[in-house]
Amino acid sequence: MLTFRAVIAYLLITLYLFLMKHSQKSASKGVSFFKKKKFIFITGCVIGGALIFSFFATSHYLSTDKSCMICHVHPHVENSWKQSVHYNNPSGSKVGCVECHLPPQDHMFKHYSAKVKLGMKDLYGFIVKDSADFDWDNKSQLENAVKYIPNESCKACHHNLIPQGISNDGITAHLYYEENEKKLDLQCISCHLDVGHYNPNYKHEKLAGVPGQSGAISQDTSLFYKSATKVDSFSNFTEQIPGTMVTFNMLAIPEGSFKMGSDENENFHKEDESPVREVKMKRFFMAELEVTWDQYWAFYGNTMSEGRTPPETIYANNTNPDLDAVSGPTPPFGFPDQGWGGGNRPAITMTHYAAETFCQWLTLKTGKKYRLPTEAEWEYAARGGTQTPYFFEGSPKSYSDQGFWRKFFDAKTDIISEYVIYSKNSRNKTQEPSQVKANPYGLKNMLGNVLEYCADKYSPKAYAQGGAQVSNPINTDGEEWVVRGGNYTSDASDLRCAARSHTLHDAWLKTDPQQPKSIWWYSDIRGIGFRVVCDDDIIE
């Protein structure tokens, strides 16, 4: 690619050849080529080009390390920089003064305005002040450093905040940073003060408020919940997780019965949704939302370990009344939230094993038995007392993009989009729960947004077991796990309350580069999550 300097040189040479050619032609005809107006115009072009070239050359020079060190003459500026990891590193690459101390050139206005401002300040200081009088140790402290290290500069180079080889503490801190950067006005330099100028006495800062860490950025731990919520009646309650600032709503789902599955008359019916059977359900509590990133990162920070507890032990713990500890996830490979954001968005890409482990951790923290819903509980809650394909009005055929007529007529979206995040309104990513209305039981995103794990193993013949009338069924035979509800990529036909699906464990780990492959995180499925339930025996 041609540089700006090369382009200017090319234009000047071209202009020169143009002038020579036409001067010779005009002279041969006895006519002077350089008439007054043309001469002024051409001369202006030459002078303008020269000025642009001069500005570029000057700007380039003033962005060199050599130029910066004309004014920055304090004793340690060059030596400490050359000992830092931004200069002295295994890759052999060097990060200069401008790359760190000015906004990236992609932000042109911010870059040049900051350059002029700092340049004038440096020049003034160089002329009228004596550098020997400066307190360099004080100026190297964090409160001064943050003024001269734009966060955009750090992120321009460090695209992946979870690179290979990062420590567990680093993983936790960087995930905390990603989730809280704007809310707490966090800056990279707050923890990495020594990366640009080496200081042998500097201790790498940690983030206070992140479980297991303490240091530069504090969080008031007095605000952490000391105990879980007490439940004294079968009614909605807000659970609080001790040792965190995280809460979530649990809704009381009444006992009752419903027809589970769909018959052949329902549009897009599939064989594994039949035979339809009458299912009697006991009452239980279910989370209003899918487990959020706020909840999941609290779990991650509290339990982070090597993750050596085998899955069979975790699943056996579901019936173990004496459970006293669980191990947490290993570091994810890249950002599991896909950069879409955290907070109340549903936590995604974790395995069924990870979801089960989360439930066990939540059980330990709150003293209540939290678990994944059975498939029957999930469909009963999703229907919200209705027996139609969706818990809202409308037919799957009118909402779906499938079928011959969809080549000519668009599917209806006005009603379904009020309740469901799916292929037509998701913008190809998960969305905040505030984007949809709740179902009759008050539950949000039961359909769409992310697929939700169930406690059942998947069997296409599950509904044929136990007869036409059953109570609180659960299927334990099979290789894969049931997932329900569809996700943000789903067509409306797969969002029916009766629609069933299942995990594809090996396919969802196909591109995982780790050996052995992760038991915690999927590499090839994004729209997968879960919500929790607990039984009514938590009532005191």
Side-chain angles (χ1 to χ4, degrees), residues 231-234 237 282-285 367-371 533-540:
V231 180
D232 55 14
S233 65
F234 186 70
F237 69 94
K282 64 180 182 180
R283 64 185 190 178
F284 57 94
F285 295 94
K368 305 177 181 71
K369 175 61 178 177
Y370 280 98
R371 57 180 175 80
V533 301
C534 62
D535 297 319
D536 66 352
D537 57 8
I538 64 172
I539 299 174
E540 297 182 0

Side-chain angles (χ1 to χ4, degrees), residues 317-323:
N317 284 340
N318 286 330
T319 57
N320 179 9
D322 300 319
L323 177 68

